[in-house]
Amino acid sequence: MVKSLVSFSGWLAKNATAFVIGIAVFTFFFPHIFDWVRGNTQTVILGIIMLTMGLTLTTDDFRILARRPLDIFIGACAQFIIMPGVAWTLVHVFHLEPALALGILLVGCCPGGVSSNVMSYLCHGDVAFSVGMSCASTLVAPVMTPLLMQFLGGQIIAIDTIGMFENIIIVTIIPVAVGCALNYFFSRRSFFPTLQGLMPGLSVTCLAIIVGGVISAVHDDLVARGFVLFIWTFAVVFCHNSLGYLLGWFAGRLAGFNVAKKRTISIEVGMQNAGLATVLASNFFAAQPLTLLPCAISCAWHSISGTILAGLYLRWDLRHPAAVQAAEAERAAQISGSVSTEAVEPEAVTTK
């Protein structure tokens, strides 16, 4: 039974995009199925998603923050400059109404998405760098997200920065910390790998439920205003996400990153934690239901686009094998250099 559940969890993770879109379409025709996904319930569900992220993190993942401070700093700056800046620009270019503007600004001001690490792995990116960026952006999100929203969206509506800070702490930092603690104390227990194997499917299911709840909340507006509203909002989300990938890659190029790092920072910048944006929109802008629409579309589209981008990177590798070999040799040299440095340092201490 347990093996079947783990297998199903893996299958669900591989087909996450199709599953989330399927739930969204189903909810559009049966909107009352997810009426219960509101307020605190939605917060708890996102907390479960962040808990699953914490269960995959180890102390070694956090050591990356100390070992590669410059890389992480550059990545975090790119994350919280590019995406909010692009969102603000698109709000004015598309002349978005206040509710939709708040939604896309929220997506832009949130930290990186929880599935970006998987995408970096799939396209031969720097996974350690990806994990480090995800950790860093999540840790600073309680401060950066409310401040950026106050700066960019304060003219549209009054922003409860303190309440938003507290909400992000509750829904992200605490669940991730609990997951990390469980991983630290129980990782060597026989049941723990099985528990971790169940987490991807649980995470995808929770994300689909959140999207279903959003579609349920905005259903009447979508029906009343027609297909044009959806297409217009999707166009904004598409531009925001795509420009995030492109400008993230150029940020890596400007920083002199190698191929693997450029791919990673591109994915990390472009993929946002739209689930967090959805919860914040529900909790702080409930009077304007359309705020949820860009968040819901982003939840589904970022997973689709991340998979497409990883595939494009892999296709480029197949067409340029010589460049791939050179990049692998460079990365191997960097890894061996860092390992030898770590090995020499303790000797130097004991010699003194």
Side-chain angles (χ1 to χ4, degrees):
M1 179 64 179
V2 175
K3 288 184 178 180
S4 298
L5 288 175
V6 172
S7 178
F8 178 71
S9 173
W11 177 85
L12 204 56
K14 290 179 181 178
N15 298 276
T17 301
F19 182 70
V20 171
I21 292 175
I23 291 295
V25 173
F26 177 80
T27 308
F28 182 80
F29 292 103
F30 301 96
H32 299 297
I33 296 293
F34 290 102
D35 280 344
W36 55 277
V37 186
R38 297 284 189 277
N40 291 334
T41 302
Q42 199 173 51
T43 301
V44 170
I45 292 171
L46 180 62
I48 294 172
I49 295 176
M50 300 309 297
L51 175 67
T52 65
M53 175 184 173
L55 285 170
T56 66
L57 297 176
T58 66
T59 52
D60 288 335
D61 294 323
F62 288 97
R63 290 193 184 103
I64 296 169
L65 301 179
R67 290 174 181 170
R68 305 171 67 173
L70 182 59
D71 290 351
I72 303 301
F73 177 75
I74 292 172
C77 287
Q79 178 81 58
F80 287 108
I81 291 175
I82 291 174
M83 294 307 277
V86 171
W88 183 87
T89 302
L90 291 174
V91 163
H92 290 81
V93 169
F94 281 80
H95 302 288
L96 294 181
E97 60 186 87
L100 294 178
L102 284 171
I104 200 66
L105 286 173
L106 259 179
V107 174
C109 294
C110 279
V114 294
S115 59
S116 56
N117 308 145
V118 177
M119 302 304 173
S120 294
Y121 171 77
L122 291 176
C123 70
H124 302 153
D126 189 329
V127 179
F129 180 36
S130 177
V131 172
M133 271 194 69
S134 295
C135 290
S137 64
T138 300
L139 289 174
V140 301
V143 174
M144 292 303 299
T145 299
L147 288 180
L148 286 169
M149 280 301 297
Q150 176 63 42
F151 180 70
L152 299 176
Q155 295 179 346
I156 301 175
I157 193 172
I159 306 295
D160 182 5
T161 53
I162 300 300
M164 196 172 288
F165 169 82
E166 294 172 347
N167 198 264
I168 296 174
I169 289 286
I170 292 171
V171 83
T172 60
I173 303 300
I174 292 177
V176 169
V178 170
C180 290
L182 292 173
N183 196 348
Y184 181 79
F185 289 109
F186 299 105
S187 59
R188 296 184 180 180
R189 300 290 182 91
S190 58
F191 68 86
F192 202 76
T194 301
L195 179 64
Q196 286 180 314
L198 294 172
M199 291 301 102
L202 178 61
S203 180
V204 171
T205 302
C206 289
L207 180 61
I209 291 173
I210 288 177
V211 171
V214 172
I215 298 300
S216 176
V218 302
H219 175 268
D220 292 344
D221 288 302
L222 281 175
V223 171
R225 299 180 60 175
F227 190 62
V228 174
L229 175 64
F230 175 82
I231 292 298
W232 188 248
T233 308
F234 175 76
V236 178
V237 170
F238 176 84
C239 292
H240 186 234
N241 178 232
S242 300
L243 287 171
Y245 290 142
L246 183 63
L247 295 177
W249 191 89
F250 275 110
R253 182 176 181 179
L254 188 64
F257 286 169
N258 60 24
V259 173
K261 285 183 182 179
K262 281 188 286 191
R263 291 181 179 184
T264 295
I265 194 173
S266 169
I267 290 172
E268 284 291 332
V269 169
M271 293 187 70
Q272 298 293 91
N273 191 340
L276 174 60
T278 301
V279 170
L280 293 177
S282 298
N283 291 342
F284 295 94
F285 309 119
Q288 304 188 59
L290 278 180
T291 303
L292 292 164
L293 186 58
C295 305
I297 295 175
S298 296
C299 281
W301 176 246
H302 285 199
S303 297
I304 297 171
S305 64
T307 305
I308 293 172
L309 181 61
L312 291 175
Y313 282 142
L314 291 177
R315 183 172 295 182
W316 189 93
D317 288 347
L318 293 175
R319 294 182 177 180
H320 303 84
V324 174
Q325 290 178 358
E328 288 295 331
E330 180 186 358
R331 181 161 40 171
Q334 289 180 346
I335 292 173
S336 62
S338 63
V339 170
S340 61
T341 301
E342 291 175 4
V344 168
E345 284 177 353
E347 284 192 359
V349 173
T350 51
T351 302
K352 290 181 180 179

